[in-house]
Amino acid sequence: MATSASISIQGDTLTLSGVLDHESVLDIDQQGQQWLLESQTREYKLDLGAITYSSSAGIALLLGWLRIAQQQQKTLQFLHMPASMIALANVGGLEDLLV
């Protein structure tokens, strides 16, 4: 079964929608990295309200983007994180970083 996630970018806000799993994050990771590296903005927002499902691969994706933002001395704020992703972050002890 093919899964998919999509990205839309409007200014300083990137919106993720769909399913974040080991398959779909590979398709969108590069787009998010490019957005963080090429934009001149210092403060970014990542809207997760349209995520329908996320495995731990989605959490890993967010951590990777957060690392890139920090390396670029930029801030990345997560908005509308689904409860299931919050639960994954809590289990991994990552709530201070992501929630």
Side-chain angles (χ1 to χ4, degrees), residues 6-10 12-18 20 28 35 44-52 61-62 65 76-82 85:
S6 63
I7 286 180
S8 68
I9 299 171
Q10 188 168 20
D12 67 349
T13 303
L14 183 146
T15 301
L16 282 175
S17 60
L20 294 178
I28 62 170
W35 173 65
Y44 295 86
K45 296 177 184 87
L46 184 54
D47 188 342
L48 305 166
I51 296 298
T52 57
L61 175 76
L62 300 184
W65 288 353
L76 182 59
Q77 179 183 10
F78 300 106
L79 305 174
H80 310 116
M81 186 176 287
M85 289 187 82

Side-chain angles (χ1 to χ4, degrees), residues 35-46:
W35 173 65
L36 288 166
L37 292 170
E38 293 179 359
S39 177
Q40 299 304 311
T41 304
R42 288 280 173 217
E43 296 180 7
Y44 295 86
K45 296 177 184 87
L46 184 54

